[in-house]
Amino acid sequence: MQKVTLEEFFSSVHFNSDGLVPVIAQQFDNGEVLMMAWMNEEALKETLQTKHMCYFSRSRQKLWRKGETSGHIQKLIELSIDCDGDTLLALIDQTGAACHTGNRSCFYRKI
């Protein structure tokens, strides 16, 4: 794993035409994939400053601080960027359910 400076990290993020980048949230200690959400630049900066996950809600068009109303917070452990700079991977410590349905993970249905 290559460590980069904060400036290098930010300059590597390729936000889409809506100013967003997808983020995969994964439980840090067991590898469980919990959810995928979006971040804009402001959400990314807040997440890095507070070490608590902050996303951008496309439906509400505003910042979404995970757990703000539910108490199901996500503490940031580590943040990585993929080789293309267009997807982030957040290793987190999840408290409670990650999914709005009450399930631990948003990926609870299988074929």
Side-chain angles (χ1 to χ4, degrees):
M1 175 92 35
Q2 177 185 359
K3 294 245 180 189
V4 297
T5 67
L6 189 58
E7 288 176 357
E8 290 171 321
F9 187 88
F10 265 98
S11 68
S12 299
V13 178
H14 297 293
F15 294 96
N16 68 16
S17 59
D18 294 322
L20 303 174
V21 63
V23 185
I24 299 164
Q26 183 177 21
Q27 179 64 31
F28 82 99
D29 56 356
N30 67 13
E32 180 183 20
V33 176
L34 299 170
M35 59 181 280
M36 189 288 270
W38 298 91
M39 280 186 175
N40 62 6
E41 187 174 340
E42 186 179 0
L44 178 56
K45 285 179 181 177
E46 182 173 316
T47 295
L48 292 171
Q49 288 172 349
T50 66
K51 303 298 186 212
H52 285 91
M53 297 305 291
C54 178
Y55 301 106
F56 182 79
S57 170
R58 295 178 301 161
S59 60
R60 295 181 302 227
Q61 290 294 298
K62 66 178 194 172
L63 291 183
W64 162 35
R65 292 164 183 92
K66 185 69 174 158
E68 190 171 48
T69 56
S70 69
H72 298 174
I73 62 168
Q74 295 177 339
K75 181 181 174 192
L76 179 65
I77 305 298
E78 183 178 282
L79 190 63
S80 302
I81 190 168
D82 76 338
C83 57
D84 296 322
D86 60 3
T87 305
L88 302 179
L89 174 63
L91 297 183
I92 61 157
D93 190 11
Q94 176 71 46
T95 299
C99 186
H100 73 281
T101 64
N103 286 286
R104 169 101 177 134
S105 170
C106 292
F107 300 97
Y108 61 90
R109 296 177 285 190
K110 297 178 184 177
I111 190 167

